[in-house]
Amino acid sequence: MPLDSIEGSLKERGVRLTRQRQILLELIDKTGEHLDAERLFQLAKEKDPKINRVTVYRTLKMLKAGGLVDELDLMHYGGDQHYYETRLKQEHAHVICLRCGKVEEFFGEPLQRLRKQIESHFGFQILLARTEVGGYCSHCQSLRAREVEEVRDLAAANGKAAVESKRARSRRS
Ligand SMILES: [Zn+2]
Ligand SMILES: [Zn+2]
């Protein structure tokens, strides 16, 4: 669904796409990132200094209710805030690094297959599906491995120091 058809479907519902709403919709659509309300507000302000937080929150609520944007929590990596993306994209899973917060998008046929399997298994009609996977990206895996090593070295060094000081004490007595 391209942006103008979003506008069309809003118009059908009697929702007027004001300039400020359009700015937000475009930001969510064009950045291709997963932005939270505060970041969206900051970006929107660059385009229209008159825009305020209330408008941003209200617009996001409206776009969400209209099924035009998805609200994600991305495994609450960043706390309680929510992130937004348009429903224009093909269904995808979010792969979130729980260490650095990097978010990857996985597109692919397995997701459609899973959806079909769930539908036939439960006789269920899926209206929306959200797939989130949390873990460590390859960069963070190597950083973590190094951290574990450092902690181990430190523990070994402390252990040795403790043994030596105990020995020194027993020699003194
Ligand atoms: Zn990472
Ligand atoms: Zn996404």
Side-chain angles (χ1 to χ4, degrees):
M1 187 163 48
L3 199 58
D4 34 310
S5 65
I6 282 196
E7 291 188 40
S9 88
L10 281 174
K11 223 172 268 165
E12 268 169 39
R13 262 171 276 197
V15 179
R16 217 160 55 84
L17 201 58
T18 59
R19 197 183 119 69
Q20 295 189 332
R21 284 174 183 169
Q22 172 124 26
I23 287 174
L24 276 171
L25 201 52
E26 273 178 13
L27 278 174
I28 298 172
D29 185 44
K30 300 252 162 72
T31 55
E33 279 176 57
H34 308 90
L35 303 170
D36 64 18
E38 188 55 34
R39 185 85 189 99
L40 278 167
F41 169 58
Q42 299 301 337
L43 290 172
K45 227 169 44 178
E46 283 169 23
K47 294 185 184 262
D48 182 353
K50 282 195 299 249
I51 208 160
N52 61 49
R53 258 191 196 85
V54 177
T55 309
V56 171
Y57 281 93
R58 218 181 268 151
T59 304
L60 288 172
K61 208 170 158 190
M62 181 204 83
L63 294 172
K64 198 179 82 177
L68 297 171
V69 303
D70 256 341
E71 190 179 59
L72 316 162
D73 60 46
L74 299 178
M75 298 221 145
H76 291 292
Y77 168 78
D80 281 337
Q81 67 259 51
H82 290 113
Y83 305 86
Y84 298 88
E85 71 178 356
T86 51
R87 286 273 195 91
L88 306 177
K89 285 195 207 172
Q90 205 202 332
E91 188 179 341
H92 57 276
H94 290 111
V95 181
I96 303 128
C97 177
L98 300 175
R99 193 175 182 280
C100 70
K102 191 164 103 180
V103 180
E104 303 273 21
E105 294 185 324
F106 174 80
F107 292 86
E109 206 264 320
L111 290 174
Q112 277 76 55
R113 215 182 316 147
L114 178 65
R115 186 187 264 261
K116 279 195 201 101
Q117 281 173 2
I118 290 169
E119 288 193 320
S120 69
H121 187 84
F122 295 103
F124 195 77
Q125 183 193 11
I126 296 177
L127 296 178
L128 83 165
R130 205 164 284 151
T131 312
E132 291 188 347
V133 178
Y136 298 120
C137 72
S138 55
H139 179 64
C140 286
Q141 283 173 55
S142 57
L143 287 178
R144 271 176 58 83
R146 207 179 305 156
E147 278 166 11
V148 168
E149 231 166 81
E150 276 167 15
V151 168
R152 206 183 295 141
D153 290 350
L154 200 65
N158 282 342
K160 219 168 131 193
V163 168
E164 269 159 19
S165 76
K166 205 174 164 191
R167 245 185 237 147
R169 245 180 286 137
S170 63
R171 237 177 283 142
R172 249 178 275 137
S173 59

